[in-house]
Amino acid sequence: MSDGLLVHDGTVVSPRGLRRADVRCRDGTIVEIGTHLAPAGEQMLDAGDSYVLPGIVDPHVHFALEAKPHRTADDFASGSTAALAGGVTTVIDFAHQHAGEGFEEALDRRLAEAVSCRTDYSLHLIVTDISGGQMAEMSHLSERGVTSAKLYSTYRAAGFFCDDYVVLEFMRAAAELGWVVMVHCENDAIVEGTRASFVRQEKVEFRYHGASRPAVAEVETVERMLCFAGDTGAAVYPVHLSVGESARLIAAARRRGVTAFGETCPHFLVADERVYEDDARAARFIHTPPLRAEREQAILWAELGAGGLQTVGSDHCGYTLAQRTDFADIVKVAPGVPGIETLLPLLYTYGVVAERMRMEDLAAVASENAARIFGLYPRKGVVAEGSDADLVIYKPHGTRTLDDQTVRSAARYSPFAGMPVRGRVAATILRGRIAFDGTDVIVPEGTGRFVPRQPFDLARV
Ligand SMILES: [Zn+2]
């Protein structure tokens, strides 16, 4: 074992500014940040031409996702390999409660699957059933470091749907216990009705995916969830927002005192619905909600700085293209696309280089904000003395084109193949240990640890 790591002379990034500094890591922790730190026998890592960011915290990933008859090609081991190659050091995946199951039962089942993870990890609970008194288990989950849950406003057939009564009751308990309530926002009646009409017209090819899930379904549900959050006092977090108006509603709700946070995804920021013009390209972007009109992108980027959106999550879901084309039908297909490996390069290129955000904002939306909202801060999400030594060394020079061949995800493709990106992850450091050296992921399966989270705290966000 080495006696620590000294990251030398990089540009250390935080939402509060940039500074040229050395970062000394020992026993998994950042012990000193300063200029001209004297080496003390540590392994040296020169970051002279690079940014030193806090390790990316991806608050929304689906490794080893089972949606019968589908199962993602990525499991925790391969998904987290892709994560490390993309500078992600902490992921928050999901523990899916099956109908009739207890919350802790769901958590234990998922924790057993997550042991092969190479990044640090936590889990959000997915709530599908509170009819058996399961909410009484929430305080036990808090003690075990799980302080957030996701509820779905649609996906009735798959068993995810929660009606408004369940959402409202859950939010009341969440407000009491300091849980964050994430909501997949698509109005079920609008989505199911529209899809049924497409089926009747025999319009089931992938090119109809976007039109079959209209934007208003998202916007309406975001507004409803903000109403419930206002009534209950719960912290609400609408996930994977695709429409500018959703973000504007969140910004407005925040101004009147509602505790609300918005998340978008890289695909909504850099791609638009024109990919649905033919079935082959559409196959690469089958996710829900779908891509929208190009004009939405500018609003989403602006809201990342203006208060309507706080985080960017990958919503990584590693299905292969072959799995997709086996079910070339918008009703039968399993939605979800891989994106954890490209989140940082895309945000840097199309955000920072394109002057839509500053480097400081990138550190906020890709790391610190998620850590604060989900109770990981200051252990995660910040380059600071006493924090876990999770760092990304990002070399901002050079342009490359994303492709399908070099992705580490077992999905073996990238929806963003063909897009140029600036710079690359030169190293990813997890608790003081080089986990990705710029070429290879060099830590074994199981290197990641479960990170217990604190309850939601308004003073922290
Ligand atoms: Zn998701």
Side-chain angles (χ1 to χ4, degrees), residues 213-393:
R213 307 184 82 95
V216 67
E218 174 182 295
V219 175
E220 184 281 334
T221 305
V222 168
E223 184 147 43
R224 186 158 31 103
M225 294 306 143
L226 291 168
C227 170
F228 295 169
D231 185 67
T232 58
V236 69
Y237 179 103
V239 295
H240 53 46
L241 295 175
S242 63
V243 187
E245 184 60 16
S246 301
R248 285 175 171 157
L249 287 169
I250 288 171
R254 286 166 63 90
R255 283 194 292 273
R256 55 173 196 270
V258 176
T259 306
F261 306 97
E263 174 196 87
T264 190
C265 307
H267 35 271
F268 299 123
L269 292 165
V270 303
D272 67 72
E273 65 190 7
R274 287 172 299 180
V275 305
Y276 299 131
E277 284 168 10
D278 73 84
D279 292 328
R281 280 207 72 205
R284 294 175 166 262
F285 288 95
I286 302 293
H287 46 70
T288 62
L291 296 175
R292 305 299 184 188
E294 190 188 16
R295 64 176 179 274
E296 301 296 334
Q297 286 177 25
I299 307 172
L300 295 174
W301 281 111
E303 289 295 339
L304 274 171
L309 294 168
Q310 283 67 40
T311 66
V312 180
S314 68
D315 200 2
H316 181 92
C317 201
Y319 291 113
T320 64
L321 282 176
Q323 282 179 293
R324 182 131 297 162
T325 42
D326 284 350
F327 292 87
D329 174 314
I330 57 170
V331 178
K332 295 187 188 122
V333 72
V337 299
I340 199 163
E341 195 169 340
T342 46
L343 185 153
L344 174 56
L346 288 171
L347 279 181
Y348 178 70
T349 306
Y350 297 92
V352 177
V353 176
E355 298 184 350
R356 291 170 168 134
M357 61 163 58
R358 301 167 309 150
M359 203 63 200
E360 291 91 328
D361 304 322
L362 194 162
V365 303
S367 184
E368 186 171 313
N369 290 355
R372 285 179 182 271
I373 293 165
F374 291 111
L376 291 162
Y377 187 88
R379 180 170 172 186
K380 305 292 189 187
V382 62
V383 183
E385 287 169 17
S387 295
D388 280 1
D390 296 346
L391 306 169
V392 198
I393 313 302

Side-chain angles (χ1 to χ4, degrees), residues 55-280:
I56 303 305
V57 176
D58 190 337
H60 192 153
V61 309
H62 302 278
F63 296 155
L65 178 71
E66 179 109 54
K68 289 191 173 95
H70 315 275
R71 187 179 176 87
T72 56
D74 267 329
D75 56 15
F76 275 87
S78 66
S80 59
T81 299
L84 288 170
V88 178
T89 50
T90 304
V91 299
I92 316 182
D93 203 292
F94 297 86
H96 172 194
Q97 178 209 13
H98 299 312
E101 196 177 35
F103 288 170
E104 289 204 83
E105 217 178 323
L107 176 64
D108 289 334
R109 193 164 34 76
R110 193 60 168 162
L111 283 170
E113 292 182 348
V115 289
S116 62
C117 202
R118 289 180 163 90
T119 61
D120 281 358
Y121 58 93
S122 183
L123 298 169
H124 309 288
L125 182 68
I126 289 177
V127 173
T128 59
D129 182 7
I130 60 168
S131 64
Q134 287 94 339
M135 285 199 300
E137 295 179 68
M138 287 172 73
S139 54
H140 300 139
L141 264 69
S142 294
E143 285 161 20
R144 296 177 65 183
V146 171
T147 53
S148 55
K150 182 180 180 188
L151 285 74
Y152 287 74
S153 65
T154 187
Y155 286 127
R156 212 181 276 266
F160 285 97
F161 174 82
C162 289
D163 67 25
D164 287 350
Y165 172 75
V166 172
V167 176
L168 197 59
E169 285 303 296
F170 190 83
M171 280 195 192
R172 280 191 215 293
E176 203 63 29
L177 292 164
W179 279 44
V180 179
V181 182
M182 312 165 82
V183 187
H184 175 117
C185 292
E186 285 184 296
N187 178 302
D188 185 65
I190 295 174
V191 166
E192 288 308 319
T194 310
R195 279 153 53 90
S197 89
F198 275 69
V199 170
R200 282 195 300 274
Q201 298 168 67
E202 296 177 22
K203 293 178 175 175
V204 294
E205 293 89 347
F206 285 158
R207 61 183 177 276
Y208 299 111
H209 175 67
S212 75
R213 307 184 82 95
V216 67
E218 174 182 295
V219 175
E220 184 281 334
T221 305
V222 168
E223 184 147 43
R224 186 158 31 103
M225 294 306 143
L226 291 168
C227 170
F228 295 169
D231 185 67
T232 58
V236 69
Y237 179 103
V239 295
H240 53 46
L241 295 175
S242 63
V243 187
E245 184 60 16
S246 301
R248 285 175 171 157
L249 287 169
I250 288 171
R254 286 166 63 90
R255 283 194 292 273
R256 55 173 196 270
V258 176
T259 306
F261 306 97
E263 174 196 87
T264 190
C265 307
H267 35 271
F268 299 123
L269 292 165
V270 303
D272 67 72
E273 65 190 7
R274 287 172 299 180
V275 305
Y276 299 131
E277 284 168 10
D278 73 84
D279 292 328

